Amino acid sequence: MTTNTNDTGFFGHPRGLQTLFMTEMWERMSYYGMRALLVLYMTLSLQEGGLGITVASAGAIYGLYTGAVYFMGLPGGWLADRLIGGQKAVWYGGIIIMIGHIILAIPAASTFYIGLIFVVLGTGLLKPNIGAIVGQLYAPEDQRRDSGYTLYYMGINIGAVIGYTVCGYLQVNMGYHWAFGAAAVGMAIGLVQYKMTLSNLGEVAATPTQPLTLKGQKMSWNIIVAFLIIVAGMTYAIYNGIITFDPVPVAQAVAVIFCLIFLGYFAAIYFKGNLNQNEKKGMWALFLICVASACFWAGFEQAGSSLNLFGRDYTDRMLGAFEIPTAWFQSANSFFIVILSPFFAALWINLAKKMITPSYSVKCALGLIIMATGFIVMFFAAQYAASGLKVAPYWLIATYFLHTVGELCLSPVALSAVSKLSPRRFAGQMMGVFVLTYSIGNVIAGLLAGNFDPENVGQMPNLYLQISLFGISVGIILVLLSFKTKYWEQAAESAAQDAEKTAQA
């Protein structure tokens, strides 16, 4: 595969970025629109049409769901690399996601978790591969890469704004299942757009980068079918009471398992991937970025759980005679990203022109520290809530603003780092390994959210303060290690350039 540095058809970037931008925008519309309602729906009483479960259980289920969404990116990246290629992975993943949202739209509690399982499986195919394809549009030396990822990230958040607005409105005025149905429509629009503009991608990710032999393909498909049968069987057993399911200890166990899988998969590529010394140095730099990412998402993903409940229960949502839907507060993050993304895209390019290029780990550390300061704001807001007052909306808005600035420093930069520093032949799998840090962070976020007992409001300030201090501490450690990581990153970039020259030859 070769990349064309002269392709500037989409705001100075390759035309393929337009296809990926729009597809991810609609997929994220469906995901975030539905995700904003999960904890609210699960904690709503049965009489009001919800599931009527406790905050601790809802937080754990939320963490398991969002963590599983990203965990499935690991096999999703492998499937693209070895069996079907990135383009088909995005297409089939989108179809499965749409089916999941259609199931969620059925007004029956018994189908709720089945719909979530479909969304998990589909996102595992789509999410890691669409991110990896963005990186493959650029040559290793192309300075537009970081800017391209920031623009791509802006598309994600335009979709999130649409999702929060539409689904939040429908939830209040029509009911939860109408909102879930709107998510299905959004994914359908994304699929139509993707198919119509697929030619923009050309041969990028059209075929597997490391195809298996015919025997290997047959064995792999058999394993996939067996896995799906096991998932279906376990779902049936849980619904019929054959297997008991307590989400809190399950989430705790899954957090440990995800960490072990991450370490094992990372070590397998490092020790068994026939990497040269420069590629191994790049892997060390990526490891620290992955640690920063897991810590970041453990705090950031409070948005859909504890901060969401704080907005519903402890925030004054009246604007004159109009009551602001709870889900709309989460759109603040997306609005800020849409507004600030062009500035951050220009920032990294202008710094590079002035020969100022902070290492990826410094950018990620900065993002983690800024995000963590958002919980200092919530520390003071929670003190007001603990005194029995409903707080003004600007406390949540200020927190989401700081979280957004931190996200723009870390998330698009980390995605760019994975695509640039990963050994080229493991690009899809390394993106899957990186997305696994989202899983770890999301499961931990769900467990943390379960500690916010609505019957014990007085504990909230200290819980927010602990999250803040932990994030700041990890960020400072990364800054102290930045001199070493800068050297590792330069070595990895050199290895990537050599691999590109070899491929072109």
Side-chain angles (χ1 to χ4, degrees):
M1 181 201 71
T2 60
T3 53
N4 183 7
T5 57
N6 296 321
D7 185 355
T8 58
F10 182 65
F11 295 104
H13 290 269
R15 286 171 297 174
L17 184 61
Q18 176 186 355
T19 298
L20 303 176
F21 177 101
M22 296 296 294
T23 305
E24 183 73 341
M25 184 186 80
W26 286 109
E27 186 274 330
R28 291 290 93 179
M29 175 270 170
S30 70
Y31 176 77
Y32 284 114
M34 179 269 288
R35 192 204 69 166
L37 308 178
L38 284 182
V39 171
L40 302 178
Y41 176 67
M42 287 188 287
T43 56
L44 194 68
S45 67
L46 292 171
Q47 292 77 10
E48 296 176 288
L51 297 184
I53 63 178
T54 65
V55 170
S57 293
I61 292 171
Y62 174 86
L64 285 169
Y65 163 69
T66 54
V69 160
Y70 294 110
F71 172 76
M72 291 306 295
L74 195 59
W78 186 89
L79 277 170
D81 282 350
R82 300 300 182 94
L83 287 175
I84 60 177
Q87 291 188 15
K88 289 182 180 178
V90 171
W91 171 249
Y92 293 125
I95 292 173
I96 297 170
I97 290 169
M98 182 182 67
I99 293 171
H101 288 303
I102 291 172
I103 294 172
L104 288 171
I106 299 172
S110 60
T111 59
F112 178 74
Y113 297 107
I114 297 174
L116 293 185
I117 290 171
F118 271 85
V119 177
V120 164
L121 295 176
T123 308
L125 268 180
L126 186 147
K127 185 65 179 174
N129 293 300
I130 197 169
I133 295 171
V134 171
Q136 293 171 29
L137 296 174
Y138 302 92
E141 68 277 4
D142 196 329
Q143 293 295 325
R144 300 176 297 168
R145 181 189 299 264
D146 285 7
S147 174
Y149 267 109
T150 303
L151 287 173
Y152 166 75
Y153 215 70
M154 185 168 67
I156 290 175
N157 287 278
I158 292 173
V161 168
I162 298 171
Y164 290 137
T165 304
V166 173
C167 295
Y169 175 83
L170 289 173
Q171 175 257 315
V172 172
N173 293 280
M174 302 291 290
Y176 282 94
H177 297 289
W178 282 88
F180 296 146
V185 173
M187 189 66 255
I189 295 172
L191 286 168
V192 171
Q193 178 279 146
Y194 179 75
K195 201 66 172 180
M196 290 178 65
T197 62
L198 188 59
S199 60
N200 288 343
L201 295 178
E203 295 301 314
V204 176
T207 58
T209 56
Q210 287 187 296
L212 296 172
T213 63
L214 290 176
K215 182 179 179 181
Q217 291 179 32
K218 184 177 181 180
M219 181 181 299
S220 298
W221 286 118
N222 288 338
I223 293 172
I224 292 168
V225 171
F227 168 76
L228 295 175
I229 291 173
I230 291 171
V231 170
M234 290 185 65
T235 303
Y236 175 83
I238 291 171
Y239 277 142
N240 288 276
I242 301 171
I243 299 176
T244 57
F245 176 71
D246 187 344
V248 176
V250 170
Q252 293 170 343
V254 167
V256 174
I257 292 170
F258 280 177
C259 288
L260 293 175
I261 292 174
F262 167 78
L263 293 172
Y265 211 114
F266 203 97
I269 293 176
Y270 184 88
F271 292 108
K272 302 294 185 180
N274 295 321
L275 307 183
N276 59 42
Q277 288 302 311
N278 284 341
E279 288 174 330
K280 287 185 175 181
K281 290 173 183 176
M283 292 287 284
W284 277 110
L286 280 176
F287 181 79
L288 294 178
I289 290 169
C290 288
V291 170
S293 176
C295 294
F296 178 89
W297 295 112
F300 183 90
E301 284 297 331
Q302 296 301 312
S305 48
S306 69
L307 294 179
N308 203 9
L309 293 173
F310 190 93
R312 184 187 70 181
D313 299 332
Y314 306 113
T315 301
D316 182 5
R317 295 187 284 116
M318 297 306 299
L319 192 62
F322 176 72
E323 186 176 30
I324 303 170
T326 304
W328 284 15
F329 284 108
Q330 293 185 57
S331 68
N333 166 254
S334 302
F335 273 116
F336 287 137
I337 283 189
V338 172
I339 294 168
L340 296 176
S341 285
F343 297 99
F344 275 83
L347 173 64
W348 305 132
I349 290 178
N350 289 330
L351 287 176
K353 289 179 180 177
K354 296 178 180 180
M355 305 302 290
I356 302 174
T357 54
S359 67
Y360 286 119
S361 62
V362 167
K363 294 176 183 177
C364 291
L366 181 62
L368 179 58
I369 291 170
I370 294 172
M371 183 280 297
T373 60
F375 287 103
I376 296 178
V377 175
M378 288 307 302
F379 167 74
F380 291 107
Q383 286 185 320
Y384 284 112
S387 68
L389 299 174
K390 283 207 169 186
V391 304
Y394 58 73
W395 290 98
L396 275 176
I397 300 301
T399 298
Y400 286 136
F401 175 78
L402 290 169
H403 284 192
T404 300
V405 175
E407 185 181 5
L408 284 169
C409 287
L410 181 143
S411 192
V413 168
L415 285 169
S416 178
V418 175
S419 72
K420 194 170 185 178
L421 302 180
S422 297
R424 193 167 187 81
R425 58 194 178 278
F426 294 108
Q429 291 177 67
M430 282 307 302
M431 188 61 73
V433 170
F434 173 72
V435 171
L436 186 54
T437 65
Y438 298 175
S439 296
I440 296 169
N442 274 269
V443 176
I444 294 173
L447 291 170
L448 290 173
N451 293 324
F452 290 82
D453 184 358
E455 303 300 324
N456 189 5
V457 185
Q459 69 180 352
M460 283 199 300
N462 284 334
L463 288 169
Y464 282 129
L465 185 62
Q466 290 171 15
I467 295 173
S468 177
L469 293 176
F470 177 76
I472 292 171
S473 299
V474 174
I476 291 173
I477 292 172
L478 287 173
V479 170
L480 295 176
L481 292 172
S482 64
F483 295 103
K484 190 70 173 177
T485 57
K486 180 71 172 179
Y487 167 70
W488 291 339
E489 290 170 11
Q490 290 172 343
E493 290 171 10
S494 175
Q497 291 174 5
D498 292 341
E500 178 70 12
K501 291 175 182 178
T502 301
Q504 291 178 349

